Amino acid sequence: MTVTAVAAPHIPARLGRFVLRRCPPHLYVSYALLWVLALEGSAATLDGAAWRPSGATWIRVVSVVLALLFLRMLDEQKDLAHDRVHHPDRPLVTGAITVRELRGAMAAITVVLAGLNAALSVTAASLILVALGYGLSLAPLEGLAPALRDRPLLGLAVAYPVQLLLGCYVYGSLVAAGSVTADARGALLLALCACVFLHFEFARKTAWESPPGAGLYSSVLGPRRAAAVTAGFAAGAVLCEVLLFAPRGPLALLPCLAAVLPVHGTRRFLAVRRGGWPMSTAAVFVAVTHLALAVRSMVLP
């Protein structure tokens, strides 16, 4: 009891250091902000409605940030055995944070998310909790099926839906609020966002060399095929963009210009033939695409 009492005041500081190291706010907050603005604004534009960020928008942004933090904390626990071998400097391995502290933070995040989204609608609260629940289900699933860790593509197929569920949360909460009307274009818009994310996901795990335990997609597909898939997701995002917004005229397709970045990344990766995919181009592609989608929604009549 004495140890707990002494340690308790230090828990927020320990959690803060964990967040700064494993969930850099400038990356997580920027991604969540741009993603929500892009998705919400584009959905309104497709519905023919004028759009500006509202109070509900900021609740969705905060909710996605907290959900991503929740999932990062969950991944730290799922990956503990792997990190003990391949990443011995990780906070959970070194004792800079404990499993109990992470689980306490995750419980607090769940309560905050439920409360925030109950202010929007029962649907919004339900959708965000479904996303968290799916993430939680991955831990026992990986325990029952070790192949999910040993086979990166299978692991991605099982883990990625949690990101898709977060997209469904943003879109579904808009529908529940009456801000947009649900139709097939919503599915295509979610596919656009998925392609942007998966371009980055494949880029960060595509390299000419494959260190032990890295879990690279290129170690399964080979560098060239992994590069083709990486570029293919960027092309898929552009295709979705054209199918959705071409009827609005050339100005509506300006976000497609961001495709020059993955083209450059692909050419550089294949030409250099060493190292990994140029991550700066992949990260900027994600940021520029989302920003362009959001800005377009505010300037188009």
Side-chain angles (χ1 to χ4, degrees):
M1 294 294 291
T2 303
V3 174
T4 302
V6 172
H10 299 289
I11 292 176
R14 288 160 64 87
L15 286 169
R17 288 191 291 270
F18 170 84
V19 170
L20 289 175
R21 181 172 176 188
R22 299 297 294 143
C23 321
H26 66 288
L27 297 178
Y28 275 61
V29 174
S30 298
Y31 174 69
L33 173 65
L34 292 174
W35 183 21
V36 172
L37 294 181
L39 183 50
E40 184 175 314
S42 296
T45 299
L46 288 172
D47 221 37
W51 176 78
R52 290 291 185 276
S54 64
T57 304
W58 305 122
I59 289 178
R60 295 182 186 105
V61 171
V62 171
S63 294
V64 172
V65 171
L66 290 177
L68 293 175
L69 177 57
F70 179 99
L71 295 170
R72 178 68 267 162
M73 292 176 170
L74 179 63
D75 283 344
E76 291 293 306
Q77 297 168 66
K78 292 197 296 96
D79 297 343
L80 181 55
H82 179 269
D83 289 343
R84 284 193 175 114
V85 176
H86 299 286
H87 303 285
D89 60 334
R90 294 277 170 87
L92 201 55
V93 179
T94 63
I97 197 77
T98 67
V99 169
R100 183 176 180 179
E101 289 165 351
L102 289 181
R103 290 179 179 176
M106 290 166 64
I109 288 172
T110 302
V111 172
V112 171
L113 286 175
L116 277 176
N117 286 280
L120 295 181
S121 66
V122 173
T123 299
S126 299
L127 288 172
I128 195 69
L129 292 178
V130 165
L132 299 188
Y134 184 86
L136 286 171
S137 73
L138 295 177
L141 185 59
E142 287 188 6
L144 294 172
L148 292 177
R149 177 172 298 284
D150 301 332
R151 299 169 62 182
L153 294 175
L154 178 60
L156 176 64
V158 173
Y160 174 71
V162 72
Q163 287 279 339
L164 187 58
L165 287 171
L166 287 176
C168 290
Y169 152 72
V170 175
Y171 186 78
S173 65
L174 288 169
V175 174
S179 302
V180 301
T181 302
D183 58 26
R185 294 175 301 175
L188 199 55
L189 181 57
L190 290 173
L192 190 163
C193 293
C195 284
V196 173
F197 173 84
L198 288 170
H199 168 75
F200 181 83
E201 170 65 16
F202 261 80
R204 77 185 186 92
K205 291 190 175 184
T206 293
W208 288 98
E209 304 86 18
S210 182
L216 302 183
Y217 304 127
S218 53
S219 66
V220 179
L221 298 174
R224 290 183 177 82
R225 281 194 292 177
V229 173
T230 303
F233 279 120
V238 172
L239 176 60
C240 290
E241 176 76 8
V242 171
L243 292 174
L244 285 168
F245 294 100
R248 299 296 299 269
L251 183 62
L253 295 179
L254 284 179
C256 292
L257 295 178
V260 300
L261 292 163
V263 169
H264 169 71
T266 303
R267 293 182 61 183
R268 181 177 170 186
F269 178 77
L270 294 177
V272 173
R273 300 188 65 178
R274 66 177 183 275
W277 187 279
M279 288 307 299
S280 59
T281 62
V284 173
F285 172 70
V286 173
V288 169
T289 299
H290 285 139
L291 181 61
L293 293 175
V295 169
R296 178 190 57 198
S297 300
M298 290 188 280
V299 301
L300 278 182

